[in-house]
Amino acid sequence: MKLLRILVLLLVLPAYAQQGGMWIPSLLKGMNEKEMKSLGMKMSAQDIYDVNKSSLKDAVPHFNGGCTSEVISPRGLLLTNHHCGYDEIQSHSTIDHDYLANGFWAMNLAEELPNPDLEVTFIARIEDVTTKVLEGTASLAEQERQKKIQENITRLTASLPKEPWQENRIRTFYEGNQYMLFVTETYKDVRLVGAPPSSIGKFGSDTDNWVWPRHTGDFSLFRIYADKNNRPAAYSKDNVPYTPKHFLPVSLGGVKEDDFTLVFGYPGRTTEYLPAVAVEQVVNSLNPAKIEVRDAALKVADGFMRKDQAIKIQYAAKYASIANYWKKWIGESQGLKKTNAVALKRAQEKEFMARVAKAGKQAEYGSLLTDFEKNYNEIAPYALARDYFTEVVLRNTELLTIAYRLYQLEQVYSTKGGQAFNDRKENLVTGMAGVYKDFNRTVDEKVFEQLIEIYATKSPRQFLPKELLTTDYKKLTAEIYSQSRITSYEGFKQLLEGDTKTVIDRLNADRGYQFAKAIAEAYVKNVAPGYDQINLKITALQRAYMKAILELSPEEARIFPDANSTLRVTYGKVKGYEPRDAVYYEPVTYLDGVMEKYIPGDYEFDVPQKLIELYNKKDYGRYGVNGKMPVCFIGTNHTTGGNSGSPAIDAKGNLIGLNFDRVWEGTMSDIHYDPSICRNIMVDMRYVLFIIDKFAGATHLVSEMKLVNVPKK
């Protein structure tokens, strides 16, 4: 009965369920605008996206390709999450000037710190180019179709109109049923302005990650610089603060339950329209494998980080990155099970087939679900082997990751010749300096020992090279780390010294490279071709399935495109939730909760003395309310990775919060959004301003913002 009730809710789509979805901002007029206004929005769709006049989109750039940020002053002041700016904060940190531990605040423009390779990208306009991209593809087989589409995209990207400082980017939507052009402007001089200490910006660290109640001041400040014409330019001392087309006013009015919230940003990847068989594979096979690998890597790193401050600084960003999705996958699997996602999808598929039959479309769509079953069963061992290779070799064992880069370098020589090899080699030597800066041989050796045993014993045996068919992993590890030059930057550079033949011979004589090459070649020969062949069939099926869903769903159905790191709008309300029986979570947390969690000296739950003093005095200035200091709040906005740093905007277009996480019970929203438990977590802008002003004394930064709804004294 419970399953039937949930299915009815999904099919009927009442007002409460209308809060899911990630929508293209240029296509909000009509149903979306009506829904947003029914939830309390006072703006128009044109206020959110407008080509000819400034709009909200002009204040929301993509932050370094992975997060979102927002412009909050007329001088290009940029706000994003602490964890989004973490690499930059870490790169400027030393034992003597530990900005991770102590925070950083530039008290004038001259003190703002440049960041090589950091960039932010604005969207100038969005256009539908589906017809042009699909031209000449109607009768082609899948592989040739994909090739033709790529050729069309390449041609259109180069030929469609844009300004000289702009770029054209074409992205696919609805599994290849729609293509959109994004005309972008990328600014490459972005300087660090401010960051709270990690005891505020990362408060709760990995224990509280993906958890509510939350008490993290997850923010950092940067500034965009431009040339004298306000156009993108590489770093120069002559650059000036960027003048934005639009910046977000900051509201001190706060939030309460059922307030409208709009989150604008660049969600990374969702797969909301997977068939049930695919979700079942994620829950029962792929997620458990990835979780096990990262669990082992994290335990090793944590052991070293707790004992050595230098290692803690070296591994801080890496550890946070690994832990983030490790915990997400755990919550995702639990949420999918708790909400009966597989059973729900089976029921939805039954309803889908009924619509296919009713429309007389059996010939076109009738075999889709059986074809999905067949192909997902065939791809299962390849997908599992692929995930083990990705997690062990490419992401979590640095010696193997570096060695794989060298393997790719050797393939460049084999396919493109000596000149291409030498060009890539020089770039690799330069680029690896930063990698080795944060590399610790002792830590990585222990990680290798743990993960290589998992790889050898858990990855499908038929795909493994003979080098992994051993039982003495400690001996293997000691042999590789004592003999390979890859364990140091000096050794790495020595491997690449000399002419091409010398380098190739030296590489293939290195014990670490030999081992990594054997694993890579086994993967390239035994796994990748099989996976790619079956996945190509699944891609075609998914596109047809998506086309059928769009074509056959009732008019009131809300079919939004999966996230793909393009600019999206998601709207909802501030809302508490019930994570389990007899428990209700309020939607707002306060500084009282920080003090309740406080553990002196603990790397996750320590609290700065200055913050304790402000709390004891209740010295919150204009940012507190009724003697309390709000910290975070939650809403029903449908977010994912990439929405980190996204602005939470109120009904009138003012900034009220900064998105940084989701609740653990709802992390399955990448695959299955359930409005009863899916919540995004936002740091309250009043807490952000309180930390900048009262804690850090950087009042000049608040002064350049436009504050609205300021409480009366």
Side-chain angles (χ1 to χ4, degrees):
M1 181 63 74
K2 182 179 179 182
L3 177 60
L4 178 61
R5 182 177 64 83
I6 294 173
L7 179 58
V8 169
L9 283 173
L10 288 170
L11 295 177
V12 174
L13 296 164
Y16 187 56
Q18 291 173 359
Q19 295 168 48
M22 300 173 175
W23 305 95
I24 301 171
S26 57
L27 304 176
L28 292 175
K29 289 194 179 219
M31 179 192 73
N32 292 121
E33 185 174 28
K34 182 179 178 181
E35 286 180 354
M36 287 189 282
K37 290 191 172 181
S38 74
L39 294 171
M41 187 181 77
K42 306 300 182 187
M43 299 177 287
S44 68
Q46 203 165 355
D47 292 326
I48 298 170
Y49 175 91
D50 195 316
V51 174
N52 301 313
K53 296 188 296 184
S54 67
S55 56
L56 292 184
K57 77 167 173 61
D58 299 312
V60 187
H62 209 175
F63 187 84
N64 217 29
C67 286
T68 304
S69 54
E70 51 276 347
V71 186
I72 58 171
S73 89
R75 303 188 72 197
L77 190 62
L78 195 69
L79 180 67
T80 190
N81 286 153
H82 185 271
H83 74 261
C84 293
Y86 204 79
D87 285 349
E88 283 67 42
I89 302 166
Q90 181 199 36
S91 70
H92 293 294
S93 295
T94 64
I95 293 290
D96 294 328
H97 299 284
D98 190 345
Y99 299 138
L100 289 175
N102 304 318
F104 169 79
W105 305 96
M107 292 301 172
N108 53 59
L109 296 180
E111 293 182 0
E112 297 177 357
L113 301 176
N115 301 280
D117 304 322
L118 175 60
E119 59 186 37
V120 296
T121 300
F122 291 89
I123 304 298
R125 69 178 187 274
I126 306 171
E127 297 176 9
D128 191 313
V129 291
T130 306
T131 302
K132 294 175 182 177
V133 170
L134 295 181
E135 185 178 342
T137 66
S139 60
L140 298 179
E142 184 62 23
Q143 196 161 0
E144 289 303 311
R145 183 182 188 277
Q146 295 296 335
K147 181 180 177 183
K148 180 63 175 176
I149 286 172
Q150 288 308 310
E151 289 173 356
N152 288 347
I153 287 175
T154 300
R155 174 177 53 81
L156 291 166
T157 299
S159 63
L160 289 171
K162 63 177 180 61
E163 299 294 346
W165 62 88
Q166 296 177 331
E167 294 179 72
N168 287 331
R169 301 178 184 180
I170 296 174
R171 303 300 299 273
T172 181
F173 294 81
Y174 295 114
E175 305 295 342
N177 286 287
Q178 183 182 37
Y179 290 84
M180 304 291 285
L181 167 70
F182 292 80
V183 181
T184 65
E185 298 177 352
T186 299
Y187 288 78
K188 299 184 177 181
D189 186 354
V190 184
R191 306 180 194 179
L192 178 62
V193 173
S198 292
S199 52
I200 291 174
K202 207 171 182 293
F203 182 79
S205 192
D206 302 301
T207 297
D208 272 6
N209 191 25
W210 304 104
V211 167
W212 185 258
R214 197 66 171 275
H215 301 87
T216 311
D218 195 347
F219 77 94
S220 57
L221 291 163
F222 291 79
R223 193 183 304 278
I224 306 169
Y225 282 74
D227 67 14
K228 62 182 180 180
N229 297 313
N230 206 41
R231 302 229 174 106
Y235 170 79
S236 168
K237 61 181 178 60
D238 296 324
N239 287 347
V240 295
Y242 167 68
T243 302
K245 296 175 186 175
H246 183 77
F247 65 91
L248 297 178
V250 180
S251 174
L252 295 185
V255 299
K256 63 182 184 301
E257 190 147 20
D258 289 325
D259 276 357
F260 173 82
T261 54
L262 182 148
V263 171
F264 217 154
Y266 298 81
R269 177 71 174 144
T270 60
T271 50
E272 302 286 343
Y273 305 99
L274 286 177
V277 62
V279 178
E280 201 166 29
Q281 194 175 101
V282 167
V283 173
N284 296 333
S285 176
L286 302 183
N287 274 4
K290 294 184 289 189
I291 290 165
E292 182 183 16
V293 171
R294 293 202 178 194
D295 187 55
L298 288 167
K299 284 178 180 175
V300 171
D302 182 65
F304 283 99
M305 290 169 71
R306 287 180 180 273
K307 297 174 184 176
D308 191 312
Q309 179 65 15
I311 291 176
K312 183 180 176 182
I313 292 174
Q314 272 188 318
Y315 276 73
K318 289 184 286 191
Y319 186 94
S321 177
I322 295 167
N324 190 40
Y325 263 69
W326 163 77
K327 195 167 185 179
K328 186 260 187 183
W329 289 324
I330 295 172
E332 178 179 84
S333 295
Q334 292 180 357
L336 289 170
K337 291 175 182 176
K338 179 178 179 179
T339 57
N340 298 307
V342 173
L344 279 172
K345 282 191 174 283
R346 295 277 185 207
Q348 289 169 342
E349 287 166 2
K350 185 176 180 180
E351 173 65 23
F352 167 78
M353 293 307 299
R355 291 200 300 272
V356 170
K358 184 177 180 180
K361 294 279 186 176
Q362 292 96 328
E364 191 172 355
Y365 303 130
S367 66
L368 278 174
L369 297 179
T370 55
D371 288 345
F372 270 136
E373 292 281 347
K374 174 179 177 292
N375 283 283
Y376 271 104
N377 287 333
E378 287 181 3
I379 206 172
Y382 295 96
L384 183 60
R386 181 174 182 264
D387 275 357
Y388 273 120
F389 179 80
T390 300
E391 287 298 309
V392 173
V393 177
L394 302 186
R395 288 182 178 160
N396 294 298
T397 313
E398 290 184 274
L399 181 141
L400 292 177
T401 304
I402 295 166
Y404 184 75
R405 298 284 297 276
L406 294 171
Y407 170 74
Q408 290 178 308
L409 179 65
E410 185 177 357
Q411 301 315 299
V412 168
Y413 175 68
S414 301
T415 57
K416 297 183 179 179
Q419 183 59 52
F421 173 88
N422 285 320
D423 291 344
R424 179 74 67 87
K425 181 183 76 170
E426 294 307 314
N427 290 335
L428 189 57
V429 170
T430 302
M432 292 306 292
V435 173
Y436 276 102
K437 173 179 176 286
D438 296 324
F439 175 84
N440 185 289
R441 171 179 171 168
T442 304
V443 177
D444 197 60
E445 182 173 354
K446 192 64 177 176
V447 171
F448 180 100
E449 180 186 304
Q450 297 290 313
L451 299 197
I452 211 64
E453 181 173 356
I454 293 173
Y455 192 79
T457 57
K458 299 295 181 68
S459 187
R461 194 172 180 82
Q462 66 267 34
F463 301 137
L464 296 178
K466 66 180 188 322
E467 284 80 356
L468 274 176
L469 304 180
T470 180
T471 56
D472 196 340
Y473 304 105
K474 286 188 176 182
K475 180 180 177 183
L476 173 67
T477 302
E479 178 185 311
I480 288 173
Y481 278 77
S482 64
Q483 296 178 21
S484 178
R485 297 190 193 184
I486 299 172
T487 56
S488 73
Y489 187 44
E490 288 305 312
F492 177 84
K493 289 190 290 185
Q494 289 168 10
L495 282 172
L496 297 180
E497 287 176 355
D499 59 69
T500 303
K501 183 178 184 306
T502 299
V503 171
I504 296 295
D505 289 345
R506 194 183 293 124
L507 280 176
N508 282 280
D510 184 88
R511 185 66 184 96
Y513 182 75
Q514 290 171 353
F515 181 77
K517 182 177 179 179
I519 295 177
E521 288 186 332
Y523 174 80
V524 169
K525 178 182 177 182
N526 301 330
V527 179
Y531 179 87
D532 291 344
Q533 183 181 16
I534 303 168
N535 193 53
L536 193 66
K537 297 177 185 177
I538 290 174
T539 299
L541 287 172
Q542 192 70 44
R543 184 176 66 252
Y545 186 44
M546 192 74 247
K547 179 174 180 286
I549 291 171
L550 290 167
E551 182 181 329
L552 301 177
S553 293
E555 187 176 340
E556 68 273 13
R558 308 171 72 257
I559 312 300
F560 59 91
D562 270 318
N564 60 357
S565 293
T566 58
L567 188 60
R568 302 292 183 90
V569 168
T570 174
Y571 45 87
K573 288 188 173 186
V574 176
K575 201 82 176 174
Y577 72 108
E578 297 178 12
R580 53 192 176 275
D581 184 48
V583 175
Y584 181 77
Y585 282 153
E586 296 289 341
V588 179
T589 61
Y590 297 89
L591 191 56
D592 306 65
V594 173
M595 299 308 160
E596 290 169 3
K597 293 179 178 179
Y598 172 39
I599 303 173
D602 185 83
Y603 87 101
E604 293 186 306
F605 294 104
D606 200 6
V607 176
Q609 185 60 38
K610 176 74 176 291
L611 188 58
I612 295 172
E613 292 170 2
L614 290 168
Y615 172 75
N616 288 336
K617 295 176 183 176
K618 300 294 182 282
D619 186 7
Y620 305 140
R622 54 185 171 174
Y623 312 113
V625 55
N626 297 326
K628 302 182 76 171
M629 184 66 242
V631 176
C632 296
F633 63 96
I634 52 175
T636 60
N637 304 86
H638 190 175
T639 62
T640 187
N643 277 123
S644 290
S646 286
I649 297 169
D650 70 10
K652 295 182 179 180
N654 303 311
L655 185 63
I656 52 173
L658 182 63
N659 188 84
F660 69 94
D661 207 354
R662 285 173 285 167
V663 302
W664 204 31
E665 296 85 358
T667 53
M668 86 292 184
S669 62
D670 288 350
I671 297 172
H672 172 59
Y673 176 84
D674 185 326
S676 68
I677 61 173
C678 290
R679 296 289 182 273
N680 62 309
I681 305 176
M682 297 156 276
V683 57
D684 195 303
M685 280 307 298
R686 292 170 294 180
Y687 189 58
V688 172
L689 295 180
F690 164 72
I691 295 299
I692 295 171
D693 187 355
K694 303 292 289 186
F695 175 84
T699 308
H700 63 290
L701 297 175
V702 178
S703 297
E704 68 175 272
M705 304 175 200
K706 179 182 178 182
L707 303 183
V708 298
N709 301 320
V710 180
K712 294 179 180 178
K713 293 184 178 180

